[in-house]
Amino acid sequence: MRPEDILKFSLADFTYNDSETVLDPPRDFETWTSDPRIGVAMSFFEQPLQQAPTPRTTLDHRLSGGNREMINLTSYNYLGLSTHPEVVQAAIDALQTYGVGASGAAMLSGTFDQHEKFAAELAEFKGRDACMLYPSGYAGNLGAIQALMQRGDVLVIDSKCHRSVVDGVKLSGARLVSFEHNDAQSLDAMLERHKDSRRMVVVEGVYSMDGDLADLPPIAEVCEHHGVPLYVDEAHSTLVFGDTGKGVVEHFDVEDKVGVDFGTLSKSFGGIGGFVCADENVIRYMKCYASPFQFSCALPPAVVAAMRKSLEVATRDDSLRQKLWANVERFRTNLEALNLDLGESASQVIPIIVGSDGQELIQLAMEAQQRGLYLQPIDFPAVEAHARRFRISVSAQLTDADIDEACNIIEDVIARPTGAVGAA
Ligand SMILES: Cc1ncc(COP(=O)(O)O)c(C=O)c1O
């Protein structure tokens, strides 16, 4: 690889390894990652937080050489539940009773009373027959899709669906096809093309890189027309959308048209774990065939106890959601005044799309972080090469002052240099 070609490559280029042994990573990958320009880009990854993922937190900021307080716009702790006193206390109390780990897979020794109660509470909250828990959201999508689909089936997914959905299909042996993002006509054509196979459709409630919502009414109608079940990944939308926080399925009033309702506990719930709600017989079947459920340790009971409290706190009234939406509104208004490209975002996930120049993205990210704004660059191949971006995760815990300060930094380091607003 010639030095002048380094910037033409991305992480998408090194998945094939032609080395003689599998423990020798591709030589080009080594050359590429040892280039200082790539080193800087890579140093944005895995910077360790020294405190809870709250809006003001301390980061071991290697780019400026040490711990510093930052305004954090990167965590999925949308409702601030990860540090809510009642949630933390529930975890502490449960730790005393249950210890640290579940010490077993759910089918054998890893199910505690906490798991059973929480699964029932989640099913009731979502208005479904039954629910099962998974060790993570990733494991949940992987397991549910692997258990439901098989060789000869076709999984039809929105082109922007999460990697866990794609990996689930690989594990199942089913065929994967995608339809154009949020395009019901494209979905219709895809379902028609594969009408001789058993099919299922997967969409997300809120798309994680764009913050736009699934256009559920026409999508659900197309699925109904073809008699194909619809699976909705509400990772970013549970506890955020809908009158009672069930998600976009409730927001669009299509609950009776959805067969599988997926959620994660790592975002608005503030913890970790995945859950899948469906009819009782579907859950019973899935439990027997979902490998990540069967062959991985169950969630720690103390985490489950804390998540039960998160559900209670988030649903006993809508004050946290109202605060979140007020913050989203303030953020959006400020960013729109800066004339930034926010894509189609209609949620608490707000991208700032800066374009195709990867070097510029890294430079802007560096300046933002040096000004104390923890905003991460999202580069190709995580997003399309022409739409590199920053992604803001708005939290209910942000104060007006946090939002205004963050927007001032964004104005100085992103809006002005990219020409969105006039230079000073
Ligand atoms: C849409 C979507 N589904 C599933 C997951 C996986 O969830 P977890 O991070 O809880 O494993 C994510 C994670 O970011 C996601 O964005």
PDB file of all heavy atoms in Angstrom, residues 27 41 77 80 94 188 207 223 237 275 344:
ATOM      1  N   ARG A  27      -1.663  -8.013   5.778  1.00  0.00           N
ATOM      2  CA  ARG A  27      -0.517  -7.108   5.883  1.00  0.00           C
ATOM      3  C   ARG A  27      -0.923  -5.663   5.577  1.00  0.00           C
ATOM      4  O   ARG A  27      -0.467  -4.727   6.210  1.00  0.00           O
ATOM      5  CB  ARG A  27       0.612  -7.576   4.943  1.00  0.00           C
ATOM      6  CG  ARG A  27       1.893  -6.857   5.291  1.00  0.00           C
ATOM      7  CD  ARG A  27       3.151  -7.519   4.742  1.00  0.00           C
ATOM      8  NE  ARG A  27       3.132  -8.960   4.801  1.00  0.00           N
ATOM      9  CZ  ARG A  27       3.544  -9.733   3.789  1.00  0.00           C
ATOM     10  NH1 ARG A  27       3.975  -9.201   2.681  1.00  0.00           N
ATOM     11  NH2 ARG A  27       3.533 -11.045   3.909  1.00  0.00           N
ATOM     12  N   ALA A  41      -7.595   8.692  13.641  1.00  0.00           N
ATOM     13  CA  ALA A  41      -9.021   8.329  13.471  1.00  0.00           C
ATOM     14  C   ALA A  41      -9.401   7.181  14.407  1.00  0.00           C
ATOM     15  O   ALA A  41     -10.470   7.191  15.020  1.00  0.00           O
ATOM     16  CB  ALA A  41      -9.296   7.948  12.015  1.00  0.00           C
ATOM     17  N   ASN A  77     -28.238   6.752  26.943  1.00  0.00           N
ATOM     18  CA  ASN A  77     -28.926   6.817  28.234  1.00  0.00           C
ATOM     19  C   ASN A  77     -30.024   7.892  28.142  1.00  0.00           C
ATOM     20  O   ASN A  77     -30.027   8.866  28.878  1.00  0.00           O
ATOM     21  CB  ASN A  77     -27.845   7.170  29.271  1.00  0.00           C
ATOM     22  CG  ASN A  77     -28.299   7.088  30.694  1.00  0.00           C
ATOM     23  OD1 ASN A  77     -29.339   6.532  31.003  1.00  0.00           O
ATOM     24  ND2 ASN A  77     -27.498   7.673  31.576  1.00  0.00           N
ATOM     25  N   GLY A  80     -31.812   8.947  31.195  1.00  0.00           N
ATOM     26  CA  GLY A  80     -30.966   9.133  32.383  1.00  0.00           C
ATOM     27  C   GLY A  80     -31.154   8.041  33.429  1.00  0.00           C
ATOM     28  O   GLY A  80     -30.762   8.195  34.589  1.00  0.00           O
ATOM     29  N   ALA A  94     -30.457  -5.817  45.146  1.00  0.00           N
ATOM     30  CA  ALA A  94     -30.471  -7.153  44.531  1.00  0.00           C
ATOM     31  C   ALA A  94     -29.086  -7.794  44.589  1.00  0.00           C
ATOM     32  O   ALA A  94     -28.974  -9.016  44.742  1.00  0.00           O
ATOM     33  CB  ALA A  94     -30.968  -7.055  43.092  1.00  0.00           C
ATOM     34  N   ASP A 188     -43.056  -4.101  -1.139  1.00  0.00           N
ATOM     35  CA  ASP A 188     -44.110  -4.843  -1.843  1.00  0.00           C
ATOM     36  C   ASP A 188     -43.492  -5.672  -2.990  1.00  0.00           C
ATOM     37  O   ASP A 188     -43.783  -6.864  -3.138  1.00  0.00           O
ATOM     38  CB  ASP A 188     -45.130  -3.828  -2.388  1.00  0.00           C
ATOM     39  CG  ASP A 188     -46.315  -4.501  -3.020  1.00  0.00           C
ATOM     40  OD1 ASP A 188     -46.800  -5.496  -2.456  1.00  0.00           O
ATOM     41  OD2 ASP A 188     -46.751  -4.051  -4.098  1.00  0.00           O
ATOM     42  N   TYR A 207     -34.334   4.494  13.347  1.00  0.00           N
ATOM     43  CA  TYR A 207     -33.079   4.016  12.736  1.00  0.00           C
ATOM     44  C   TYR A 207     -31.897   4.672  13.437  1.00  0.00           C
ATOM     45  O   TYR A 207     -31.858   5.887  13.605  1.00  0.00           O
ATOM     46  CB  TYR A 207     -33.103   4.269  11.221  1.00  0.00           C
ATOM     47  CG  TYR A 207     -34.010   3.248  10.577  1.00  0.00           C
ATOM     48  CD1 TYR A 207     -35.367   3.497  10.426  1.00  0.00           C
ATOM     49  CD2 TYR A 207     -33.527   1.995  10.235  1.00  0.00           C
ATOM     50  CE1 TYR A 207     -36.215   2.522   9.915  1.00  0.00           C
ATOM     51  CE2 TYR A 207     -34.368   1.017   9.735  1.00  0.00           C
ATOM     52  CZ  TYR A 207     -35.707   1.293   9.577  1.00  0.00           C
ATOM     53  OH  TYR A 207     -36.542   0.318   9.096  1.00  0.00           O
ATOM     54  N   CYS A 223     -47.296  -5.711   4.500  1.00  0.00           N
ATOM     55  CA  CYS A 223     -47.080  -7.026   5.133  1.00  0.00           C
ATOM     56  C   CYS A 223     -48.415  -7.763   5.267  1.00  0.00           C
ATOM     57  O   CYS A 223     -48.506  -8.957   4.976  1.00  0.00           O
ATOM     58  CB  CYS A 223     -46.445  -6.864   6.514  1.00  0.00           C
ATOM     59  SG  CYS A 223     -44.755  -6.315   6.433  1.00  0.00           S
ATOM     60  N   SER A 237     -36.566   3.111  20.357  1.00  0.00           N
ATOM     61  CA  SER A 237     -37.876   3.771  20.481  1.00  0.00           C
ATOM     62  C   SER A 237     -38.672   3.360  21.716  1.00  0.00           C
ATOM     63  O   SER A 237     -39.566   4.093  22.130  1.00  0.00           O
ATOM     64  CB  SER A 237     -38.706   3.533  19.214  1.00  0.00           C
ATOM     65  OG  SER A 237     -38.485   2.241  18.678  1.00  0.00           O
ATOM     66  N   PHE A 275     -34.835  -8.029  24.852  1.00  0.00           N
ATOM     67  CA  PHE A 275     -36.087  -8.757  25.096  1.00  0.00           C
ATOM     68  C   PHE A 275     -36.911  -8.824  23.822  1.00  0.00           C
ATOM     69  O   PHE A 275     -36.814  -7.952  22.961  1.00  0.00           O
ATOM     70  CB  PHE A 275     -36.898  -8.160  26.252  1.00  0.00           C
ATOM     71  CG  PHE A 275     -37.377  -6.743  26.039  1.00  0.00           C
ATOM     72  CD1 PHE A 275     -38.648  -6.497  25.534  1.00  0.00           C
ATOM     73  CD2 PHE A 275     -36.579  -5.662  26.366  1.00  0.00           C
ATOM     74  CE1 PHE A 275     -39.112  -5.196  25.351  1.00  0.00           C
ATOM     75  CE2 PHE A 275     -37.028  -4.358  26.185  1.00  0.00           C
ATOM     76  CZ  PHE A 275     -38.293  -4.125  25.680  1.00  0.00           C
ATOM     77  N   GLU A 344     -33.205  13.158   8.055  1.00  0.00           N
ATOM     78  CA  GLU A 344     -34.660  13.014   8.241  1.00  0.00           C
ATOM     79  C   GLU A 344     -34.994  12.757   9.705  1.00  0.00           C
ATOM     80  O   GLU A 344     -36.058  12.208  10.010  1.00  0.00           O
ATOM     81  CB  GLU A 344     -35.179  11.830   7.401  1.00  0.00           C
ATOM     82  CG  GLU A 344     -34.915  11.924   5.911  1.00  0.00           C
ATOM     83  CD  GLU A 344     -35.678  13.089   5.292  1.00  0.00           C
ATOM     84  OE1 GLU A 344     -36.856  13.261   5.614  1.00  0.00           O
ATOM     85  OE2 GLU A 344     -35.054  13.829   4.509  1.00  0.00           O
TER      86      GLU A 344
END
